[in-house]
């Protein structure tokens, strides 16, 4: 027997080829980590590669260590112990990958919103009491100008400033909105309605808005009911006002499934947050400007439940007023057909638990 063969046999592996292959994989993993650190200075990737390389090398050269771990876990066969450790490692790697992906995505979204806000850095702040109307818009070029045109310039002693956040639109939404009196910003990457609202809220806070109203860009929220939306806040009776189609008039032509879903999710929010509302998904709402900083908003898609639950957790006084929801005049809904119920459920539970 050669010296190399004796070493391989002493390692506990029956296959010299397998040992050599594992040592090769360990070396490749180590070199990859060193190269990543050399080019990106990523300590996380270097540490991960060192740990993996060490584990693979240990399996190649000292597999009896895994047999000892198997004995501690009452696993008689060494291959089962190796497989268990490998699968646990894989689970942690997958979780690490998800976490890094999420962090990177969040960083990109925050940068996108910051760049959008910077587009209005030279706009003077209003000195009179003001209502900022935040209108998230995704491919609503045919409607957004009409929505802005219907807004009054002043209401109940407040100057009205529309803010259109074009959320990565590809149909000329920003161009159409720019022809109105609205402040207009553009997300270069689609952020979802929640992300667009966060951009609008940041703009409203930076301009010291007294009241912030959110409206959809599809014409479903009548501007003539704006005074009813802001009245409870203006009169000091509430900090957060949500419109209800069920206390008012629903002309949205939603199907039975969506109507039933709204009521189920509304009941769930009422149960876990100890609220008493009737319409949890309505995007027609008003918020006291100073109350926005009390709310933790992270949801990029299904923002309505998060806003309600955060308002409740922040101790805001919540009121509900009757509103009319009109049918879309043009275009199609941007709400996803698949996964909508799951998205709302996730948002409700995550917001409630955090």
């Amino acid at each position: 027997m050669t010296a190399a063969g004796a070493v391989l046999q002493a390692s506990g592996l029956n296959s010299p080829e397998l040992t050599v292959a594992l040592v090769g994989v360990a070396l490749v993993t180590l070199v990859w980590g060193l190269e990543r650190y050399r080019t990106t200075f990523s300590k996380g990737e270097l540490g991960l590669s060192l740990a993996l390389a060490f584990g693979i090398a240990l399996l190649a050269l000292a597999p009896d260590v895994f047999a000892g771990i198997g004995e501690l876990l009452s696993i008689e066969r060494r291959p089962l112990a190796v497989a268990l450790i490998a699968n646990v490692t894989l689970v942690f790697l997958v979780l690490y990958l998800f976490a890094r992906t999420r962090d990177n995505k969040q960083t990109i979204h925050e940068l996108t919103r910051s760049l959008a806000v910077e587009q209005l850095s030279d706009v003077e702040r209003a000195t009179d009491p003001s209502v900022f109307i935040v209108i998230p818009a995704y491919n609503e070029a045919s409607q957004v100008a009409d929505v802005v045109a219907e807004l009054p310039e002043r209401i109940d002693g407040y100057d009205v400033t529309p803010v259109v956040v074009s959320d990565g639109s590809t149909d000329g939404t920003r161009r159409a909105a720019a022809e109105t009196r609205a402040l207009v910003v553009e997300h270069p990457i689609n952020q979802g309605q929640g992300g667009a609202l966060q951009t609008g809220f940041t703009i409203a806070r930076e301009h010291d808005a007294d009241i912030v109203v959110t409206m959809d860009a599809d014409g479903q929220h009548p501007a003539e009911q704006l005074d009813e939306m802001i009245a409870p806040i203006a009169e000091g009776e509430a900090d957060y006002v949500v419109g209800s189609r069920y206390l008012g008039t629903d002309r949205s032509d939603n199907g039975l499934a969506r109507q039933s879903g709204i009521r189920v999710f509304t009941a769930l929010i009422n149960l876990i947050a100890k609220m008493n509302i009737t319409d949890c998904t309505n995007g027609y709402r008003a918020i006291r400007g100073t109350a926005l900083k009390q709310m933790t908003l992270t949801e990029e898609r299904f923002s309505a439940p998060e806003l309600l639950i955060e308002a409740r957790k922040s101790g805001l006084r919540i009121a509900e007023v009757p509103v009319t929801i009109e049918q879309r005049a043009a275009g199609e809904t941007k709400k996803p057909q698949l996964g909508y119920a799951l998205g709302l459920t996730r948002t409700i539970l995550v917001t409630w638990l955090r």
Side-chain angles (χ1 to χ4, degrees):
M1 179 181 297
T2 64
V7 171
L8 294 176
Q9 185 176 11
S11 72
L13 289 179
N14 295 324
S15 170
E17 293 81 3
L18 177 59
T19 300
V20 172
L22 289 174
V23 170
V25 171
L27 289 174
V28 169
T29 303
L30 178 60
V31 170
W32 175 84
L34 293 172
E35 179 64 18
R36 290 295 297 171
Y37 182 73
R38 187 181 70 84
T39 55
T40 67
F41 304 102
S42 173
K43 294 181 179 179
E45 290 176 288
L46 176 61
L48 181 62
S49 68
L50 289 174
L52 288 175
F54 175 78
I56 296 171
L58 191 65
L59 175 60
L61 302 176
D64 288 338
V65 172
F66 294 89
I69 296 174
E71 290 178 2
L72 293 175
L73 300 175
S74 299
I75 300 175
E76 296 181 357
R77 301 181 62 184
R78 186 173 64 195
L80 291 179
V82 172
L84 175 62
I85 295 171
N87 279 286
V88 171
T89 302
L90 178 60
V91 168
F92 279 108
L93 288 175
V94 170
L95 293 177
Y96 173 77
L97 177 61
F98 279 139
R100 286 295 302 271
T101 301
R102 174 63 182 175
D103 290 344
N104 290 338
K105 183 179 179 181
Q106 188 65 30
T107 299
I108 292 173
H109 284 184
E110 290 175 357
L111 177 60
T112 298
R113 291 193 288 268
S114 296
L115 291 173
V117 172
E118 283 295 320
Q119 296 171 23
L120 298 179
S121 59
D122 58 345
V123 176
E124 295 183 2
R125 296 185 179 184
T127 56
D128 295 332
S130 60
V131 174
F132 272 55
I133 314 293
V134 177
I135 307 172
Y138 175 61
N139 290 345
E140 296 287 358
S142 63
Q143 289 294 307
V144 66
D146 291 338
V147 170
V148 174
E150 291 177 359
L151 295 173
E153 295 188 7
R154 192 171 177 83
I155 186 170
D156 296 338
Y158 292 89
D159 288 336
V160 176
T161 301
V163 179
V164 175
V165 182
S166 177
D167 189 28
S169 300
T170 59
D171 68 340
T173 294
R174 179 177 184 173
R175 184 167 56 253
E179 296 176 356
T180 70
R181 64 187 181 90
L183 302 179
V184 184
V185 296
E186 175 79 55
H187 283 166
I189 303 173
N190 181 267
Q191 305 290 290
Q193 186 183 60
L197 287 176
Q198 290 178 51
T199 296
F201 290 159
T202 300
I203 293 170
R205 287 199 309 269
E206 290 191 354
H207 288 79
D208 300 321
D210 295 277
I211 301 175
V212 181
V213 175
T214 69
M215 296 178 65
D216 290 349
D218 56 13
Q220 289 190 287
H221 299 153
E224 57 267 22
Q225 294 182 323
L226 184 59
D227 56 343
E228 300 168 25
M229 291 295 300
I230 70 172
I233 297 177
E235 296 170 6
E237 299 174 355
D239 305 301
Y240 186 104
V241 179
V242 58
S244 172
R245 74 196 83 191
Y246 300 117
L247 297 179
T249 304
D250 184 11
R251 300 184 184 133
S252 61
D253 198 27
N254 285 327
L256 178 60
R258 178 163 170 75
Q259 293 280 7
S260 301
I262 292 173
R263 293 190 181 277
V264 168
F265 287 117
T266 298
L268 177 59
I269 290 177
N270 285 336
L271 176 64
I272 66 176
K274 296 180 174 59
M275 300 174 66
N276 186 26
I277 59 171
T278 63
D279 192 355
C280 74
T281 64
N282 200 329
Y284 205 1
R285 61 179 73 87
I287 310 169
R288 188 179 301 278
T290 54
L292 284 171
K293 62 182 179 181
Q294 299 175 233
M295 303 165 67
T296 301
L297 303 177
T298 62
E299 179 57 39
E300 295 155 358
R301 299 290 171 184
F302 308 97
S303 57
E306 180 185 52
L307 283 162
L308 275 170
I309 297 174
E310 276 295 319
R312 181 73 175 87
K313 290 169 65 175
S314 300
L316 304 185
R317 296 169 297 168
I318 300 173
E320 197 172 31
V321 300
V323 297
T324 298
I325 301 297
E326 302 287 356
Q327 187 175 3
R328 287 182 62 95
E332 299 179 353
T333 179
K334 307 304 187 302
K335 294 182 174 64
Q337 298 300 313
L338 297 176
Y340 187 64
L342 292 177
L344 285 178
T345 302
R346 174 190 58 77
T347 301
I348 291 171
L349 295 180
V350 169
T351 306
W352 177 56
L353 289 172
R354 73 183 178 210

